[in-house]
Amino acid sequence: MTIEDHLDTRPSDQELRRLLSGTTPEPSFAHLARMSDDTGLFEHARGPIPKRWHGYCVDDVTRGLIVVCREPEPSEQLVRLAEIYLAFLLHAQDRERGFHNRMGLDRVWHDEPETGEWWGRGVWALGTAANRGPTPWIRAVALERFDDGAKLRAGLGPQSRLNHAMAYAALGAAEVAEAHPGHPAALSLLADAAVTIGRPGSDPAWPWPEPRLEYGDAALPEALIAAGQHVGDEALLRDGLALLEWLLALSTREGHLSPTPAGGWSLGDPRPAYHQQPIEAAAYADACARAYAVTRDRKWLTGVRMSIDWFLGVNDSGIPLIDEATGGGYDGLGLDWRNPNQGAESTIALISTLQHARWLERIPTVAA
């Protein structure tokens, strides 16, 4: 009998009722700690057990640093994880070329530094740590290295998506601009990201700046919203909000979130579509939370709530993507199954989304 025989099944009605009643679970960092060691954060897992032999990647370490820094009252364990993750990023960063992405269990880099999407995520994480890091020394070092990373720009490469790399970097710049208004490198990066991403197209059926939806797409309008806010461009802010509204409407089905699958989606493709990834729900939660913070328009709270509920089983398959016993998040959603593995990306997406639930549940007019 394999692990799929144990875990890759539909949840019981009792499990669904328990998850959908009462309050949203508090984010747990137990599985994040399980996936971490004194070097960084393991990328993959077999069920909840880390696959150490796959090593580490900057993509996931950045995600880990972001959610730890978002905690309002981090424990000593989380502060220690923040230091480990930041040290990993310092090791990964090349001031002239960008970031390495993949390190083996032997602690040797298996690639050359580039300014691909992991550069964007690295800048995002450094900006977040510079603004919200749990200690003064974390904030100071992160700001110094943000400045180094922000001087670069996304580059073409075999695995690089310029729009997404610049969007992620812009989210880090927005964090720095929040803590240090008028910061030159942050404002320059925000402005350049807006140009790279582009404005909505003229076709109302497809205003998206790319020919196909991929993964983590909600970061693009979120970056435009952040850029419009911090550089004082009202038209840019409106464009970002309009693009997010279109994307959210496209990804809403029968009142619940039905995000882009791992293979991407474009007009004419079937809906709902699978294999759906937790990173999508987390990106919608982040973008809609920012849209609400900027506009105070309560319609954006619906997007945050749908993102949370997607993990709790209000999705196209009616299957929860949270393992409350381990604190992990399942890696993906199929038609009538969930991927049993609890990797770093999916677990951090769960944590990030549940972090938004804390303030959302304090707003009594939002339907649960």
Side-chain angles (χ1 to χ4, degrees):
M1 181 174 289
T2 68
I3 189 170
E4 284 82 0
D5 296 318
H6 289 288
L7 297 177
D8 199 6
T9 58
R10 294 184 64 88
S12 67
D13 290 342
Q14 182 180 9
E15 181 183 2
L16 274 174
R17 283 195 299 271
R18 181 172 59 83
L19 285 169
L20 296 177
S21 64
T23 60
T24 303
E26 278 287 311
S28 168
F29 289 86
H31 189 52
L32 188 68
R34 182 183 296 113
M35 293 288 290
S36 302
D37 65 3
D38 62 356
T39 297
L41 176 62
F42 294 113
E43 183 177 8
H44 296 298
R46 180 64 171 169
I49 306 302
K51 289 184 174 180
R52 294 170 57 88
W53 58 95
H54 283 280
Y56 320 84
C57 73
V58 162
D59 276 327
D60 289 332
V61 173
T62 59
R63 295 179 178 112
L65 182 58
I66 288 168
V67 296
V68 169
C69 288
R70 285 178 175 179
E71 276 298 286
E73 297 179 358
S75 65
E76 290 185 11
Q77 180 189 46
L78 292 188
V79 173
R80 176 59 180 149
L81 287 180
E83 292 175 339
I84 290 170
Y85 299 158
L86 180 57
F88 187 94
L89 292 185
L90 301 189
H91 188 197
Q93 188 176 21
D94 182 296
R95 289 179 164 134
E96 302 298 327
R97 294 185 292 166
F99 285 86
H100 293 278
N101 189 29
R102 299 197 173 276
M103 174 186 280
L105 188 59
D106 56 4
R107 301 186 179 183
V108 173
W109 293 110
H110 292 180
D111 59 7
E112 292 298 318
E114 293 183 28
T115 51
E117 287 181 56
W118 53 94
W119 161 81
R121 290 191 183 278
V123 174
W124 182 7
L126 291 172
T128 302
N131 182 19
R132 311 194 208 187
T135 67
W137 53 89
I138 286 176
R139 295 192 294 273
V141 172
L143 181 60
E144 172 192 331
R145 300 311 287 268
F146 167 85
D147 287 341
D148 292 330
K151 294 173 184 175
L152 306 177
R153 293 295 183 265
L156 291 170
Q159 297 179 345
S160 176
R161 296 185 302 167
L162 294 179
N163 284 7
H164 288 72
M166 288 297 285
Y168 298 142
L171 297 179
E175 293 278 354
V176 171
E178 179 179 312
H180 305 277
H183 189 282
L187 295 183
S188 174
L189 182 51
L190 284 162
D192 286 353
V195 172
T196 301
I197 294 168
R199 301 294 182 93
S202 59
D203 183 357
W206 193 265
W208 196 247
E210 296 179 319
R212 184 174 177 84
L213 295 176
E214 296 292 342
Y215 69 85
D217 282 324
L220 271 63
E222 184 186 358
L224 295 180
I225 293 167
Q229 176 190 12
H230 288 289
V231 305
D233 188 331
E234 289 292 330
L236 179 58
L237 174 60
R238 289 194 299 270
D239 282 347
L241 292 168
L243 204 57
L244 179 59
E245 186 169 22
W246 175 84
L247 184 63
L248 183 62
L250 191 71
S251 300
T252 299
R253 181 173 178 268
E254 298 178 357
H256 65 258
L257 191 66
S258 180
T260 302
W265 188 88
S266 59
L267 290 177
D269 291 347
R271 298 294 296 269
Y274 305 97
H275 180 57
Q276 295 175 15
Q277 299 285 293
I279 189 178
E280 299 299 331
Y284 279 105
D286 278 356
C288 290
R290 184 179 297 275
Y292 173 74
V294 171
T295 66
R296 297 300 174 184
D297 188 335
R298 289 175 177 266
K299 71 181 180 182
W300 298 113
L301 299 179
T302 300
V304 181
R305 184 72 253 178
M306 288 196 304
S307 302
I308 296 166
D309 288 344
W310 184 87
F311 283 97
L312 303 183
V314 186
N315 52 47
D316 287 317
S317 301
I319 301 175
L321 274 294
I322 177 175
D323 185 341
E324 290 190 272
T326 66
Y330 293 105
D331 271 352
L333 181 71
L335 174 61
D336 56 1
W337 53 270
R338 62 189 175 195
N339 187 317
N341 297 324
Q342 298 173 25
E345 178 185 292
S346 57
T347 294
I348 295 167
L350 169 65
I351 294 170
S352 173
T353 305
L354 292 181
Q355 285 175 322
H356 289 300
R358 291 171 173 159
W359 58 264
L360 184 64
E361 291 186 341
R362 294 197 294 267
I363 303 174
T365 58
V366 179

